[in-house]
Amino acid sequence: LARPSGCWCRRFWAASGKTAPAASPGSGARSPFDRQLKRKQKNWAALQPEPAKYDYLREEVGGRVADRVFDITRTFPLALDVGCGSGYIAQYLNKETVEKLFQVDMAENALKNTMETEIPTVSVVADEEFLPFKEDTFDLVVSSLRFVLIISLKFNIHQVLKPDGVFIGAMFGGETLYELRCSLQLAELEREGGFSPHVSPFTDVTDLGHLLGRAGFNTLTVDTDEIQVNYPGMFEIMEDLKGMGESNCSWNRKPILHRETMLAAAAIYQEMYGSNDGSVPATFEIYYMIGWKFQESQARPAQRGSATVSFGDLAKINALISRKK
């Protein structure tokens, strides 16, 4: 199954045959996503009778991002949560770790449903691509599963961090929903003679470290994880994605998916990936990343060639220790 990789924004627009939207001011980056549509999707999801019913994935990943914050043994006086939603990260934090938290989301209805937390919070409605904060403001920036995260890294998140500040984030990886994408593509090829993307594009883990480095972060850490959720069928997966506000928002999305194609895709999904109990899995690949903003006092790697002991000498040390025993 082909997916965007490398310079995925440029390849996305080249493949779509459409004109990319205007770049973010001062950034030079072009977004493959319709931000206004995404805002409508998020606001619609937040207004549903039971929005918390679809929060299981975001709460799980939010807890894992919070765990990485706890791994850093310091207290952050001022922190920012980019694309906070209902406060999926904030609910796990405490005053010993974060003294005050700004929560930013583009969907005003999501901020009305924020969860309780012991940390003093300030809610701000703003587009994550255009953060309304001065440079060098926050000691910590966190973000979980935001679709504009890559574009925001350099032109927003790095700027608002103080020197020696840290960014900790999570985003969907390239293998996310590969079962759904493959089933829809095969069904469209069979029924309509071609296919269009029905899931928003993802970046690849091999590009993520490079993107963080280009954004100005150093002392990088990137790791991956997979969360697999079982559903009764393909239509339940799509219903939950809609309830999460995660329907496709790419500019080259196909507006209509025919009923016959949908039924064929559901049958293919069941045949290729179905379990013995009749359920089907949906895989969510998650990339976790940590990056620091440069400061002179930070530890740095030694220059190449400055070592005074070779790795070959380590074997001799082990031999000496064995003799003494």
Side-chain angles (χ1 to χ4, degrees):
L1 180 63
R3 64 177 184 275
S5 61
C7 299
W8 58 280
C9 284
R10 291 194 295 273
R11 294 182 185 181
F12 176 92
W13 288 113
S16 69
K18 297 184 179 182
T19 304
S24 303
S27 71
R30 299 183 184 275
S31 173
F33 304 109
D34 184 343
R35 298 197 307 275
Q36 292 304 316
L37 175 61
K38 178 54 64 177
R39 178 173 173 267
K40 291 179 181 178
Q41 292 173 353
K42 295 290 185 183
N43 275 323
W44 178 89
L47 289 176
Q48 297 313 295
E50 297 179 281
K53 175 183 175 182
Y54 306 102
D55 286 344
Y56 51 88
L57 184 62
R58 294 190 179 281
E59 289 190 4
E60 176 64 28
V61 176
R64 298 185 186 189
V65 172
D67 287 341
R68 286 161 171 79
V69 176
F70 291 132
D71 289 339
I72 301 173
T73 56
R74 68 166 67 173
T75 299
F76 299 98
L78 192 61
L80 170 67
D81 186 352
V82 178
C84 63
S86 298
Y88 305 110
I89 301 175
Q91 63 177 326
Y92 298 103
L93 301 176
N94 54 45
K95 292 181 180 179
E96 287 72 30
T97 307
V98 175
E99 294 180 355
K100 187 175 183 179
L101 178 68
F102 276 73
Q103 295 179 298
V104 173
D105 202 282
M106 67 192 309
E108 60 273 14
N109 292 334
L111 291 172
K112 296 176 183 177
N113 299 332
T114 51
M115 308 174 194
E116 292 185 4
T117 175
E118 63 179 77
I119 306 170
T121 60
V122 178
S123 297
V124 179
V125 179
D127 191 326
E128 294 97 327
E129 287 195 35
F130 309 98
L131 295 175
F133 304 106
K134 296 180 180 179
E135 292 187 22
D136 305 338
T137 299
F138 297 97
D139 306 280
L140 166 71
V141 177
V142 295
S143 184
S144 180
L145 304 184
R146 302 310 296 174
F147 74 105
V148 295
L149 183 55
I150 287 297
I151 296 172
S152 298
L153 278 174
K154 181 174 182 178
F155 308 110
N156 293 281
I157 293 175
H158 187 266
Q159 288 181 354
V160 301
L161 269 175
K162 293 179 180 178
D164 200 36
V166 60
F167 165 68
I168 303 177
M171 63 181 296
F172 288 118
E175 296 297 328
T176 295
L177 297 175
Y178 72 87
E179 304 99 336
L180 177 62
R181 288 183 287 158
C182 186
S183 300
L184 287 171
Q185 287 184 6
L186 291 175
E188 274 196 298
L189 283 170
E190 177 192 352
R191 298 303 173 98
E192 303 179 29
F195 66 87
S196 300
H198 296 284
V199 179
S200 296
F202 305 107
T203 191
D204 194 270
V205 68
T206 56
D207 303 316
L208 192 52
H210 178 63
L211 290 166
L212 285 164
R214 287 188 62 187
F217 293 97
N218 57 32
T219 318
L220 306 177
T221 302
V222 177
D223 62 285
T224 67
D225 196 5
E226 279 192 0
I227 299 175
Q228 193 172 87
V229 183
N230 291 322
Y231 296 87
M234 187 193 78
F235 294 108
E236 285 77 11
I237 297 173
M238 299 180 75
E239 178 186 355
D240 276 23
L241 290 173
K242 185 178 180 180
M244 296 175 191
E246 292 297 340
S247 299
N248 187 11
C249 67
S250 56
W251 284 102
N252 71 339
R253 65 191 178 274
K254 187 176 180 179
I256 298 175
L257 192 58
H258 298 291
R259 180 175 180 272
E260 294 77 11
T261 305
M262 292 280 285
L263 293 173
I268 292 171
Y269 203 130
Q270 184 67 48
E271 179 65 25
M272 292 181 63
Y273 306 106
S275 304
N276 293 331
D277 61 1
S279 65
V280 295
T283 300
F284 298 91
E285 185 179 33
I286 312 297
Y287 298 157
Y288 299 94
M289 65 208 85
I290 301 176
W292 296 79
K293 189 169 182 178
F294 176 76
Q295 188 186 51
E296 288 291 338
S297 62
Q298 288 176 345
R300 304 181 207 176
Q303 292 184 352
R304 295 188 65 179
S306 62
T308 57
V309 179
S310 71
F311 282 107
D313 295 332
L314 295 177
K316 298 177 183 179
I317 294 173
N318 291 332
L320 289 172
I321 294 173
S322 299
R323 290 174 186 174
K324 290 181 179 181
K325 290 181 178 180

